[in-house]
Amino acid sequence: GVAVEEILSRAAEALTEARTQGAGRIALYRKGVGRTRKTIMVVDDDDLMIALVRHRLEREGFNVHPFLNGAAAFAAASSVNPDLMILDVKMPEMDGFELLERLRSIPAFEKTPILMLTSMGGENDVVRGLALGADDYILKPFSPVELVARVHRHLKSK
């Protein structure tokens, strides 16, 4: 179901990207041809962090829906219907642990990959996040390249 024009457009983009970024980048475009772009919710109260994560994920071809607090993300989750979520813990209105717990109580999100991306790296925090149903727990500061690799890994297993 993808129009020939769209495939040609993606191919032209891939060639341009390969010329400017190196031939290794073209593999990312080939993977996406003929597929629907995956949607990722990013929830963090830090605008700079959202901008960084959003930039890296959009560069990989994902649709990114950013939210600055857990309450707004929870209210929008069903309409966004994300393929994966990335949550901070320390946020106003509803922290990431409460958001995670509420999301996991909704049947539609029982199996949606949820990654915690937070500076709260104490043993109790990590154990709590995993016990509440997080699929991964990544500590800030983090490697954007590693984050993208983990996102791909979790989406592949979905």
Side-chain angles (χ1 to χ4, degrees):
V2 178
V4 172
E5 294 82 11
E6 185 175 340
I7 292 172
L8 291 174
S9 174
R10 287 182 187 176
E13 289 175 13
L15 289 174
T16 301
E17 187 74 15
R19 287 185 186 118
T20 59
Q21 299 292 329
R25 296 281 303 159
I26 199 161
L28 296 173
Y29 286 94
R30 281 193 188 134
K31 287 181 191 175
V33 172
R35 294 188 183 169
T36 307
R37 289 173 50 148
K38 299 287 186 179
T39 299
I40 300 175
M41 279 180 62
V42 178
V43 189
D44 197 309
D45 63 334
D46 182 342
D47 287 325
L48 185 58
M49 185 61 58
I50 283 187
L52 171 66
V53 172
R54 183 179 195 172
H55 171 74
R56 291 301 298 212
L57 294 174
E58 286 179 344
R59 198 170 146 194
E60 292 294 316
F62 296 108
N63 289 319
V64 178
H65 292 262
F67 294 90
L68 292 172
N69 65 66
F74 184 74
S78 291
S79 62
V80 171
N81 192 26
D83 296 292
L84 182 140
M85 299 179 213
I86 299 173
L87 315 178
D88 186 17
V89 173
K90 292 165 58 173
M91 295 182 292
E93 298 184 44
M94 182 189 303
D95 72 27
F97 290 138
E98 183 179 350
L99 176 58
L100 172 61
E101 188 171 27
R102 286 186 179 197
L103 289 167
R104 287 297 188 218
S105 72
I106 299 170
F109 300 121
E110 285 177 348
K111 295 184 180 183
T112 301
I114 300 177
L115 287 60
M116 304 304 289
L117 179 61
T118 181
S119 59
M120 295 186 60
E123 180 180 28
N124 290 337
D125 299 318
V126 175
V127 169
R128 181 177 178 198
L130 295 173
L132 289 172
D135 295 285
D136 211 339
Y137 204 98
I138 304 164
L139 295 178
K140 295 176 186 175
F142 67 100
S143 159
V145 173
E146 181 182 339
L147 174 65
V148 168
R150 288 178 188 239
V151 165
H152 280 293
R153 181 175 64 88
H154 286 288
L155 287 173
K156 190 182 294 185
S157 65
K158 183 179 175 192

